[in-house]
């Protein structure tokens, strides 16, 4: 028995016959398997309403105490993107110049990445995702948030799945450190920047590193007990 609290009947649950369940989960899995991280983008515009819907989808994610400890800044103006590139590339230069350490750079070698980030001005949208250490179910509250990194991670997964569903390509980009994003995006220092999600159409000659196509099997990643 649960303790007394305000509640309404489940408003929109949709039960599926088992045959539909299997077909739909298989189709969804196959579709997600077609998602590839892309590092070469076209400058073709993507309407703002698409990004808005994707952020709404991300905002429906479960979170600790339903505090929804996330904030999304969609960077779309050429000025803001140029500023972002000017701040991110020097950090990346230091990272690839040795700050990352040999082990990390070795791990990245099969991806062919380097400090040049032309996509930061080429792609139509860069979404900066912040986690809020304090908040609450209403904006402006200053209560403690719970499981903030986990909640933000789940919301970022929803965001990526939504944008992939819309036929867009993405790059999960994490310049390190990325504290400069707070000022650029006008967010308080109490928020932690987690990710830059580069969003757009892939360039006509976009490639995927062979390394990125190696996915672990079901047996490797799961057990049923
Ligand atoms: N932030 C760098 C380095 C980088 C780090 C990881 I872990 C990657 O999976 C890929 C890149 C960059 O964006 O190039």
């Amino acid at each position: 028995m649960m303790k007394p609290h305000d509640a309404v009947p489940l408003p929109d649950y949709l039960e599926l016959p088992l045959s539909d369940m299997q077909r739909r989960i298989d189709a969804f899995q196959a579709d997600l398997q077609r998602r590839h991280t892309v590092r070469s983008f076209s400058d073709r515009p993507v309407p703002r309403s698409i990004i808005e819907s994707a952020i709404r989808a991300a905002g429906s994610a479960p979170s600790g105490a339903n505090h929804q400890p996330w904030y999304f800044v969609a960077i779309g103006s050429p000025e803001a993107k140029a500023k972002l590139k000017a701040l991110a590339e020097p950090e990346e230069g230091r990272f690839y110049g040795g700050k990352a350490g040999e082990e990390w750079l070795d791990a990245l070698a099969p991806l062919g990445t380097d400090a040049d980030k032309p996509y930061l001005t080429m792609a139509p949208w860069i979404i900066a995702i912040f986690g809020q250490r304090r908040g609450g179910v209403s904006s402006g509250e200053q209560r403690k948030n719970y499981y903030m990194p986990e909640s933000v991670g789940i919301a970022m997964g929803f965001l990526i799945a939504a944008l992939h569903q819309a036929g867009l390509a993405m790059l999960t980009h994490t310049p390190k450190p990325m504290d400069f994003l707070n000022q650029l995006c006008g967010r308080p220092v109490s928020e932690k920047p987690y990710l830059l999600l580069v969003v757009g159409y892939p360039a006509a000659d976009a490639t995927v590193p062979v390394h990125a196509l190696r996915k672990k099997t079901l047996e490797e990643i799961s057990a049923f007990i």
Side-chain angles (χ1 to χ4, degrees):
M1 269 303 276
M2 294 180 73
K3 286 193 277 180
H5 62 287
D6 272 349
V8 296
L10 206 50
D12 39 22
Y13 175 71
L14 200 63
E15 183 178 317
L16 296 171
L18 275 180
S19 55
D20 284 8
M21 197 186 281
Q22 192 68 56
R23 190 179 46 74
R24 285 179 57 154
I25 196 72
D26 290 344
F28 189 69
Q29 177 241 315
D31 190 54
L32 278 186
Q33 222 107 35
R34 291 179 27 254
R35 185 206 59 81
H36 303 292
T37 292
V38 156
R39 292 189 171 79
S40 186
F41 286 83
S42 149
D43 62 0
R44 217 167 129 193
V46 167
R48 171 177 163 155
S49 64
I50 303 292
I51 305 299
E52 287 176 346
S53 292
I55 294 174
R56 279 193 197 97
S60 74
S63 64
N66 194 32
H67 282 193
Q68 303 152 67
W70 41 62
Y71 199 86
F72 303 85
V73 177
I75 304 170
S77 77
E79 301 74 34
K81 285 192 283 182
K83 258 191 224 163
L84 171 61
K85 185 167 181 284
L87 290 165
E89 280 185 333
E91 295 288 11
E92 294 291 271
R94 285 185 281 277
F95 176 90
Y96 284 99
K99 205 173 146 196
E102 201 182 332
E103 187 174 8
W104 197 345
L105 293 177
D106 261 11
L108 296 182
L111 298 176
T113 52
D114 61 25
D116 288 339
K117 307 297 181 194
Y119 45 74
L120 289 179
T121 44
M122 184 69 86
W125 295 102
I126 324 283
I127 308 176
I129 297 114
F130 294 85
Q132 300 173 326
R133 295 190 179 91
R134 301 193 79 83
V137 71
S138 306
S139 303
E141 283 187 90
Q142 285 299 322
R143 305 172 70 184
K144 187 169 158 31
N145 282 337
Y146 303 92
Y147 299 104
M148 183 272 272
E150 292 85 349
S151 304
V152 173
I154 297 168
M156 293 192 293
F158 276 34
L159 183 67
I160 291 168
L163 289 163
H164 172 69
Q165 172 76 24
L168 292 167
M170 279 155 281
L171 166 65
T172 44
H173 175 46
T174 49
K176 189 174 160 61
M178 51 180 160
D179 314 6
F180 64 85
L181 282 177
N182 292 71
Q183 211 198 340
L184 179 82
C185 297
R187 301 310 300 166
V189 289
S190 57
E191 292 188 358
K192 181 176 158 58
Y194 272 95
L195 180 71
L196 286 173
L197 191 66
V198 184
V199 185
Y201 291 92
D205 60 356
T207 60
V208 177
V210 171
H211 176 78
L213 294 173
R214 291 181 51 189
K215 298 295 184 194
K216 291 180 182 169
T217 63
L218 177 67
E219 291 67 33
E220 287 176 288
I221 64 168
S222 65
F224 292 71
I225 61 172

